[in-house]
Amino acid sequence: MTFEGRPDRDAEVVLVGRSNVGKSTLMRELTGHDFTTGKKPGVTRQPNHFDWSSEDFTFTDLPGFGFMSGVDEDRQEAIKTDVVRYVEANAPHILAGVLVVDGKSAVDIIDRHEERGNVPHDVEMFSFLREVDVPAVVAVNKMDKVDDRDERLNELCDRLGLYPPWQQWSDTIAPVTAKRGSIDPLLEALRGHFREAKRDDLLKFVS
């Protein structure tokens, strides 16, 4: 079952990522609007869109993918497939794809998958966004729980194929703490991509 009901908008920012990394909280900070989501991972199967009726723009929070406790593998795979298809189908309209990861656990999760000979979901999604020419921004969330900040961010860059130090990737790596409303690096990165797309008219939504 593929996603339905996308608003008719010419410009879009999508949020993608594993379950329980804080995408909905980040969406709330970006839009000022609360989105009710299921407490169990995998319950939300459709995107949450927040669009302004007078503006040709929408933020879209896509369902979380990857391992989910109590959700069978077929359903997990179906969710990821739907997310990929959505991004691919709408790539020409997407100004930025925000990959949300948990700053404390992302590197460890990536390493575990690679040790098993699997392509980690986060690495795969980051590469996919770039393949379909969607500017990728990694919102490294929950940074308030990370002690070795620079080391962790440099390790994440390395896993994503970006040369450290992370500070040189300000348009791609955005350390945030959505729960505390600390998302300025993400807003700055999005402003840069909006300007590159010559959509200064939409800068007010990431100010």
Side-chain angles (χ1 to χ4, degrees), residues 15-172:
L15 275 65
V16 298
R18 293 174 174 277
S19 295
N20 300 327
V21 293
K23 287 192 295 88
S24 296
T25 305
L26 189 55
M27 183 76 158
R28 183 194 68 208
E29 291 302 317
L30 286 167
T31 65
H33 187 80
D34 259 318
F35 290 84
T36 303
T37 57
K39 291 185 179 179
K40 289 183 179 179
V43 170
T44 304
R45 286 298 311 274
Q46 292 294 324
N48 282 315
H49 301 284
F50 190 71
D51 63 310
W52 289 260
S53 58
S54 61
E55 301 287 348
D56 199 15
F57 175 70
T58 182
F59 277 110
T60 299
D61 176 17
L62 291 168
F65 55 77
F67 173 76
M68 290 171 267
S69 179
V71 180
D72 65 63
E73 285 188 23
D74 287 347
R75 188 173 182 187
Q76 291 175 31
E77 196 59 35
I79 292 171
K80 191 176 80 168
T81 298
D82 284 349
V83 168
V84 166
R85 285 176 177 166
Y86 182 94
V87 173
E88 198 165 31
N90 297 295
H93 305 285
I94 299 176
L95 301 180
V98 180
L99 172 62
V100 187
V101 303
D102 184 323
K104 190 171 183 180
S105 64
V107 171
D108 296 331
I109 291 172
I110 289 170
D111 288 350
R112 278 203 302 272
H113 276 265
E114 288 184 335
E115 284 166 9
R116 296 173 192 153
N118 300 324
V119 178
H121 292 308
D122 296 317
V123 175
E124 186 178 30
M125 185 58 67
F126 180 73
S127 298
F128 167 69
L129 289 170
R130 301 177 108 193
E131 282 171 13
V132 294
D133 292 325
V134 170
V137 180
V138 184
V140 192
N141 196 22
K142 306 181 184 180
M143 288 302 294
D144 57 318
K145 297 179 180 178
V146 177
D147 296 325
D148 47 350
R149 177 187 175 95
D150 288 342
E151 183 181 344
R152 265 311 199 194
L153 291 171
N154 284 339
E155 288 175 343
L156 181 59
C157 280
D158 179 68
R159 304 307 189 272
L160 294 173
L162 305 173
Y163 291 109
W166 71 270
Q167 289 92 340
Q168 68 179 319
W169 299 102
S170 59
D171 62 339
T172 307

Side-chain angles (χ1 to χ4, degrees), residues 172-186:
T172 307
I173 301 294
V176 300
T177 302
K179 201 170 184 179
R180 296 187 177 180
S182 177
I183 65 167
D184 284 350
L186 173 60

